[in-house]
């Protein structure tokens, strides 16, 4: 009678407890899985960000190198052109001086 009812209610209580424990453990498992996914997503996202940054830096560096090379070539060309111009001017001055000398010599 009484003892039996007590057993039944204790069994029911334990069953409820077990069920709650199982549910809690399942919830913890699900939460861990979700966090794992978030972690993976974040790792993927961070990888994407890092990859994009690396790609951007590669392109940026490439462009800078191209521009630097172009600038140096132009500077080299300008320098050569200026040297050629100065050389031509010196030659013209020498020629003029020689003509002047020749003219003075003729006058003598």
């Amino acid at each position: 009678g009484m003892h039996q009812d007590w057993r039944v209610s204790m069994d029911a209580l334990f069953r409820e407890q077990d069920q709650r424990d199982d549910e809690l453990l399942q919830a913890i498992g699900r939460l861990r899985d979700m966090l794992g996914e978030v972690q993976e997503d974040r790792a993927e996202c961070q990888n994407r960000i890092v990859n994009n940054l690396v790609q951007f830096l590669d392109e940026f560096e490439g462009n800078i190198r191209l521009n630097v090379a172009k600038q140096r070539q132009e500077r080299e060309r300008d320098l050569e052109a200026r040297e050629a111009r100065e050389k031509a001017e010196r030659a013209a001055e020498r020629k003029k001086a020689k003509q002047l000398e020749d003219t003075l010599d003729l006058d003598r």
Side-chain angles (χ1 to χ4, degrees):
M2 188 80 179
H3 186 71
Q4 199 62 29
D5 292 346
W6 177 80
R7 269 237 62 100
V8 170
S9 56
M10 284 305 288
D11 280 352
L13 212 80
F14 287 146
R15 249 201 321 277
E16 265 179 46
Q17 179 100 50
D18 289 348
Q19 202 179 338
R20 271 205 304 274
D21 289 343
D22 287 344
E23 282 172 8
L24 183 61
L25 287 170
Q26 283 172 2
I28 289 172
R30 280 197 301 272
L31 186 58
R32 189 189 289 112
D33 290 346
M34 278 164 56
L35 287 174
E37 280 173 29
V38 168
Q39 237 175 353
E40 273 175 36
D41 288 349
R42 207 166 100 206
E44 240 177 75
C45 183
Q46 283 172 336
N47 271 341
R48 253 201 317 278
I49 291 169
V50 169
N51 289 341
N52 288 343
L53 265 176
V54 168
Q55 194 183 341
F56 167 77
L57 278 177
D58 284 347
E59 287 172 17
F60 191 53
E61 186 190 24
N63 288 338
I64 289 174
R65 285 186 189 283
L66 266 175
N67 287 338
V68 166
K70 269 190 221 161
Q71 278 174 352
R72 288 183 184 163
Q73 277 177 346
E74 283 170 18
R75 209 164 49 202
E76 196 69 30
R77 273 202 303 271
D78 289 348
L79 205 67
E80 284 169 7
R82 192 167 62 213
E83 282 172 3
R85 220 175 24 249
E86 285 171 3
K87 206 167 154 185
E89 283 167 11
R90 279 196 304 273
E93 280 167 24
R94 271 199 308 275
K95 196 172 166 187
K96 239 187 268 172
K98 181 114 175 57
Q99 284 171 342
L100 194 61
E101 259 176 57
D102 289 350
T103 308
L104 291 175
D105 279 349
L106 285 174
D107 287 350
R108 252 186 244 147

